[in-house]
Amino acid sequence: MTSLKQTPLFPVYAKHGAKTIDFGGWDLPVQFGGIQNEHDAVRERAGLFDVSHMGEFWVTGADAESFLQKVTTNDLSKLETNQAQYSLLCYPNGGVVDDLLVYKLAGDRFMLVVNASNIEKDFAWLEEHVEGNVKLENVSDDTSLLALQGPLAAAVLSKLTEAPIGELRSFRFLPDVVVDGVHALVSRTGYTGEDGFELYVSAKDVIRLWDALLDAGREHGLEPVGLGARDTLRFEARLPLYGQELSADISPLEAGLGFFVKLDKGDFIGRDALAAQKTQGLPRKSVGIEMIDRGIPRAHYPVYSPDGERLIGEVTTGTQSPTFKRNVGLALIETAFTANDTEVLVEIRGKKLRAKVVPTPFYKRPKA
């Protein structure tokens, strides 16, 4: 029996009441004080996540940018220094190796942030395709990541730094911010649909920073948040999860992420297949569904045509929305059934129950 990996913050989980689970080989907190309470904290106040299991790679060298242009779907030439970009790595057939963030620190220096379960696979994929003057370095073990998310996130973080973090625009970052004596790369990014920040620090400093943020945020109602609420928050905002909305068998276009696929930027791995999908039309698409009958759609539940005769796809994520108390899901189904208000059937515990296609995202952050 293999032992589970632990983040550097594992020793402090217990004092916050964490309940941990095996998440892709990691021993991580699914909740601290209850999923509903943590979800509400992020939507209404602020929440603090340990996401140190994520992977970080340095990509440096004179040819770093041209290399990344070749292996990612988005257009790196649009990135300015100290700006981040959501992108995807694709196989030649258009399936997804992983989705990731690309941080541009300089013209010859980038940081990639990848999903924890894909660290080894992604690094091997990049090594296989590297060309020119490029150095790849996996710094995942030395790097910890905290996500401070919610409408009061800026107020909390501002108490611990003199840096102008409130002026940061979305997907911009400051490469070296001193936060309560700890040096951090601070970006205005997140995975919740709320305002917030992600703080990349040395693994040896993360417990100090975690404690400092929780202390500073106490008066603002800041709470530690686990994977359970992280999933409901990202789901309501229709942010994809690799292995569910994205996989080697699901393309970015099928997942509704065409905005991040720049077919006109020049050649990249998977471009021909994705261009063909766009030209020929997609046989299936990811859509939102809401249950009409009583039942909660869960990942991998079959979805059938309205007459119940034909299997047309499956649910990729589903739950009762903690914000709206509606039983909703994301489903990858045949395109013929993807118009809003189209009725479909979801098989739940052997019964085919009625649902309808609805617009997404389910949640949008209120405008300030």
Side-chain angles (χ1 to χ4, degrees):
M1 184 175 176
T2 57
S3 59
L4 297 177
K5 292 178 278 189
Q6 299 174 347
T7 80
L9 268 172
F10 185 86
V12 305
Y13 289 165
K15 75 175 183 180
H16 298 289
K19 177 185 177 183
T20 64
I21 60 169
D22 179 349
F23 181 79
W26 291 82
D27 198 356
L28 295 174
V30 67
Q31 63 182 48
F32 291 92
I35 293 173
Q36 179 72 57
N37 291 339
E38 294 167 26
H39 182 104
D40 291 344
V42 176
R43 287 279 180 253
E44 299 166 8
R45 303 181 306 279
L48 183 63
F49 303 75
D50 176 22
V51 278
S52 301
H53 57 297
M54 299 290 282
E56 292 85 17
F57 306 154
W58 290 113
V59 183
T60 58
D63 298 318
E65 183 167 322
S66 60
F67 163 63
L68 290 174
Q69 275 285 64
K70 186 189 80 169
V71 294
T72 63
T73 62
N74 211 333
D75 188 355
L76 249 71
S77 70
K78 306 295 186 185
L79 262 190
E80 299 174 3
T81 299
N82 294 347
Q83 185 177 12
Q85 181 185 79
Y86 178 76
S87 194
L88 302 107
L89 304 172
C90 280
Y91 293 106
N93 69 356
V96 178
V97 180
D98 204 3
D99 62 335
L100 72 163
L101 288 179
V102 181
Y103 286 76
K104 182 175 181 178
L105 290 101
D108 60 353
R109 187 171 181 81
F110 297 82
M111 180 175 73
L112 309 185
V113 183
V114 304
N115 285 297
S117 59
N118 292 335
I119 292 172
E120 289 78 13
K121 178 187 74 173
D122 291 355
F123 198 75
W125 178 259
L126 294 171
E127 284 187 314
E128 181 183 342
H129 294 93
V130 73
E131 291 179 355
N133 181 1
V134 177
K135 180 183 177 183
L136 299 173
E137 188 177 2
N138 181 357
V139 294
S140 304
D141 290 343
D142 301 320
T143 307
S144 286
L145 172 57
L146 299 181
L148 177 64
Q149 300 283 293
L152 300 183
V156 173
L157 187 55
S158 293
K159 294 172 68 174
L160 297 176
T161 183
E162 296 179 359
I165 55 94
E167 299 172 14
L168 269 182
R169 288 181 286 155
S170 180
F171 278 78
R172 301 281 175 159
F173 66 92
L174 298 172
D176 187 13
V177 176
V178 179
V179 184
D180 194 54
V182 172
H183 288 267
L185 183 154
V186 177
S187 65
R188 202 149 200 170
T189 50
Y191 191 52
T192 62
E194 296 296 341
D195 186 22
F197 302 87
E198 293 182 304
L199 298 91
Y200 299 84
V201 299
S202 171
K204 63 181 173 56
D205 294 326
V206 70
I207 290 179
R208 172 180 172 176
L209 185 57
W210 170 269
D211 289 340
L213 286 166
L214 286 177
D215 287 344
R218 191 167 289 116
E219 67 177 296
H220 299 288
L222 174 67
E223 306 228 6
V225 184
L227 293 171
R230 186 168 185 251
D231 194 51
T232 57
L233 290 158
R234 71 91 193 164
F235 162 70
E236 287 185 344
R238 203 195 170 164
L239 300 173
L241 176 63
Y242 188 86
Q244 292 183 215
E245 281 70 48
L246 294 167
S247 73
D249 300 314
I250 303 173
S251 81
L253 302 184
E254 292 174 320
L257 299 172
F259 180 80
F260 306 102
V261 177
K262 306 301 186 185
L263 295 173
D264 58 354
K265 73 167 184 172
D267 193 31
F268 60 89
I269 298 173
R271 184 193 178 281
D272 290 347
L274 293 169
Q277 283 186 11
K278 189 168 184 180
T279 300
Q280 296 164 12
L282 298 169
R284 58 183 187 169
K285 293 180 183 177
S286 177
V287 294
I289 58 170
E290 180 174 355
M291 297 304 299
I292 299 171
D293 292 336
R294 190 172 178 179
I296 298 177
R298 302 290 189 189
H300 306 302
Y301 282 7
V303 180
Y304 289 85
S305 57
D307 61 9
E309 295 298 313
R310 194 161 96 251
L311 180 68
I312 61 170
E314 70 172 19
V315 177
T316 57
T317 300
T319 190
Q320 182 181 83
S321 160
T323 301
F324 304 110
K325 305 300 187 280
R326 295 156 46 198
N327 295 337
V328 289
L330 295 171
L332 185 65
I333 61 175
E334 292 179 16
T335 301
F337 299 93
T338 55
N340 285 336
D341 296 319
T342 301
E343 285 200 18
V344 295
L345 297 176
V346 180
E347 185 176 330
I348 301 177
R349 297 191 184 94
K351 294 183 179 179
K352 292 175 182 173
L353 303 178
R354 291 184 305 146
K356 65 177 180 179
V357 177
V358 294
T360 56
F362 304 107
Y363 173 85
K364 288 183 182 178
R365 173 159 48 111
K367 292 183 179 178

